[in-house]
Amino acid sequence: MANIVLSAFSDEYSENLKEQCQALNNFGIEYMEIRGVNGKNVSTLTKAEVIGSKKVLDDYGIKVSSIGSPLGKIKIDGDLDGHLERAKHVFETANVLGAKNVRMFSFYLADGKSRDECKGKVYDELSKLVNLSKQHGLTLCHENEALIYGESPKKCFEIMQYFGGELKCVLDMGNFVLDGYNPIDAYELLKDYIEYFHIKDALSAGAIVPAGQGEAQIKKILDTYKASMKRDTFITLEPHLQTFSGLNALVGKTFDNPYKYENQKVAFTDAVEKLRGLL
């Protein structure tokens, strides 16, 4: 029987990797989507730091479900050669940490250029990333996010079709809500390409809220997915409840979030409890 397996962006609990692992042990969560390690992004860790991180993870019995990389999160007319070198380092890091999936994005548009004008270059660069990831035995998983080429469900679907299953989808229902798209419609369009899910909830007015408290239809989507899933599938908790003060600037909205927390550890704990209640 296939199961939903819980993972988390535990850097939203603490910057310190040992504290992250301790918290996951306390919550009974065996996986993390690794992103922030002792104040550094996973893509910038030295080889020695990656090896040291693997030892900490092993000491606490924590496995890595995915690398929460920032690949594809630069402008399409940026330093693309340097970006490809960064990707190689990320993929080497994934191999050391035992991750099979790497989260990525589909580039911000060049200033003053439309999606159609950037399309050819976007696909050229995505193809380079996909080919390089295959050499390392990894699966790239595209996340929908504001302002990138693959912001909308339609553009995500276009990317998935273009690569014919060689690039997968990490579905973030909350991001679709924030960007003005119906999460159920997005799921139905992309369901055949989903590798795993990011779990955050949101209000279209511009607030990120605990799972089940917003408009992302998390329970309905997961229940629908579970009814026909054929393999264990990760869901990564990405609460963004305390740590994402730049949200309003990103989505161009001003909204006073009704959920306020004393600190990020309290926020993360509530996020875990709300998600478990939803499940």
Side-chain angles (χ1 to χ4, degrees):
M1 180 180 175
N3 297 300
I4 291 289
V5 181
L6 184 56
S7 182
F9 279 111
S10 49
D11 59 348
E12 294 195 25
Y13 181 86
S14 170
E15 287 189 350
N16 183 276
L17 184 61
K18 288 185 178 180
E19 286 192 9
Q20 293 182 41
C21 292
Q22 289 167 349
L24 293 178
N25 283 172
N26 291 337
F27 290 125
I29 299 173
E30 298 179 0
Y31 291 87
M32 76 164 62
E33 182 159 349
I34 193 166
R35 180 178 57 191
V37 178
N38 300 326
K40 295 179 67 174
N41 186 274
V42 65
S43 66
T44 67
L45 298 178
T46 66
K47 290 182 179 179
E49 287 171 333
V50 173
I51 293 169
S53 298
K54 180 67 165 76
K55 184 179 186 307
V56 172
L57 292 166
D58 288 346
D59 286 346
Y60 287 91
I62 300 298
K63 298 177 281 293
V64 177
S65 62
S66 183
I67 305 294
S69 88
L71 293 179
K73 214 168 186 180
I74 67 168
K75 289 185 179 180
I76 194 58
D77 58 351
D79 179 12
L80 299 174
D81 290 338
H83 186 258
L84 201 61
E85 283 301 309
R86 190 179 196 185
K88 182 180 178 182
H89 179 63
V90 167
F91 298 154
E92 291 169 350
T93 296
N95 287 157
V96 172
L97 297 181
K100 295 301 181 185
N101 295 328
V102 176
R103 182 275 303 270
M104 47 82 70
F105 305 89
S106 54
F107 300 95
Y108 295 115
L109 307 181
D111 289 343
K113 298 288 187 180
S114 68
R115 277 181 170 75
D116 285 345
E117 290 172 311
C118 294
K119 180 177 179 178
K121 190 64 176 173
V122 165
Y123 279 105
D124 286 346
E125 296 306 314
L126 288 177
S127 296
K128 292 176 185 177
L129 292 175
V130 169
N131 290 334
L132 188 59
S133 70
K134 286 163 61 179
Q135 294 173 24
H136 289 79
L138 301 168
T139 300
L140 279 179
C141 303
H142 174 268
E143 178 181 355
N144 55 286
E145 185 163 285
L147 305 178
I148 61 173
Y149 182 85
E151 173 189 276
S152 70
K154 183 178 178 181
K155 285 300 182 185
C156 290
F157 184 66
E158 175 195 290
I159 293 169
M160 296 300 114
Q161 283 194 308
Y162 181 89
F163 287 102
E166 290 190 323
L167 189 153
K168 297 292 188 179
C169 171
V170 48
L171 191 80
D172 191 313
M173 309 83 137
N175 281 353
F176 278 133
V177 170
L178 290 169
D179 298 334
Y181 303 102
N182 184 300
I184 298 291
D185 292 345
Y187 167 76
E188 289 297 333
L189 187 62
L190 296 167
K191 61 185 178 184
D192 291 338
Y193 298 99
I194 293 171
E195 181 66 22
Y196 69 102
F197 296 85
H198 278 174
I199 302 299
K200 75 165 69 77
D201 210 339
L203 302 172
S204 54
I208 293 178
V209 296
Q213 309 305 303
E215 301 164 23
Q217 300 288 324
I218 293 169
K219 179 172 175 53
K220 183 174 181 179
I221 288 172
L222 291 182
D223 284 349
T224 303
Y225 181 81
K226 284 191 292 185
S228 59
M229 72 180 190
K230 298 177 175 62
R231 58 174 176 82
D232 288 354
T233 301
F234 287 109
I235 60 171
T236 298
L237 179 63
E238 187 184 21
H240 275 357
L241 295 176
Q242 181 75 7
T243 57
F244 202 46
S245 58
L247 170 67
N248 286 344
L250 179 64
V251 301
K253 298 174 181 177
T254 301
F255 187 80
D256 188 28
N257 196 328
Y259 290 90
K260 295 180 173 65
Y261 298 91
E262 179 182 349
N263 57 54
Q264 64 183 34
K265 293 180 180 180
V266 174
F268 190 89
T269 299
D270 190 48
V272 172
E273 292 172 352
K274 291 286 197 306
L275 176 56
R276 284 223 161 105
L278 197 68
L279 296 174

